[in-house]
Amino acid sequence: MRCYGTVEEYLANSTESYFIDREFCAFHAGPLFGIVAWGRPANTAAQRLVHARGAELVDPGPHFVVIDYRLVEVVDVEAFKCLAEWVSTHRETLTRNTAKVALIQPNEPFAAATVAGFYNVVKSPYPSQLCTTIDEAEAWLGVPTI
């Protein structure tokens, strides 16, 4: 896989590549897109994260998505809103392009509760499942998670 230094390079050709930001990594391998987030990402990090997820919008799919939140310590309210607005704004494209999404819950219990409730607040445009491990996410998606 190629590592790009900027999100713009990643978005120009995300296939078989990844991009590392301060609070997350975005990658695209075969039919799988992924995000691995960590720390205490605030609204500005969420804005950068959804910008990187733009690669999913141009891929005609169907593709799979794994979002690994295991290392997230706190889910910021404004970051939550940013992610919710992005899903709502791109609902039609996400419904058409995305086969399944696996959310891997944070290890921190309160952050895990927030992630678990995301699709109770935002209607999921695709089949999704909350998972506790990478193995569980891989089994749900039916594709290797790398």
Side-chain angles (χ1 to χ4, degrees), residues 37-43 46 69-84 104-118:
W38 54 82
R40 298 170 173 251
N43 188 39
Y69 289 118
R70 287 177 295 170
L71 300 176
V72 170
E73 300 166 11
V74 174
V75 179
D76 178 83
V77 173
E78 294 303 316
F80 186 99
K81 288 180 187 176
C82 177
L83 297 170
I104 305 175
Q105 72 183 30
N107 293 322
E108 200 290 317
F110 293 107
T114 303
V115 170
F118 185 80

Side-chain angles (χ1 to χ4, degrees), residues 10 25-36 49 52-57 59 61-69 86-87 93-95 97-104 119 124-131 134 136-145:
Y10 172 74
C25 172
F27 66 89
H28 179 190
L32 180 70
F33 284 89
I35 296 288
V36 178
L49 187 149
R53 286 193 67 190
E56 296 170 39
L57 301 175
D59 181 89
H63 56 254
F64 303 86
V65 179
V66 61
I67 304 176
D68 186 347
Y69 289 118
W86 185 82
V87 169
T93 302
L94 293 168
T95 299
N97 296 358
T98 311
K100 288 183 178 180
V101 172
L103 300 171
I104 305 175
Y119 288 123
S124 181
Y126 33 62
S128 62
Q129 180 167 312
L130 183 65
C131 304
I134 287 286
E136 186 181 344
E138 191 171 284
W140 158 250
L141 294 173
V143 296
T145 55

Side-chain angles (χ1 to χ4, degrees), residues 4-14 19 51:
Y4 287 121
T6 68
V7 70
E8 287 75 21
E9 291 173 320
Y10 172 74
L11 290 171
N13 184 15
S14 70
F19 164 72
H51 182 61

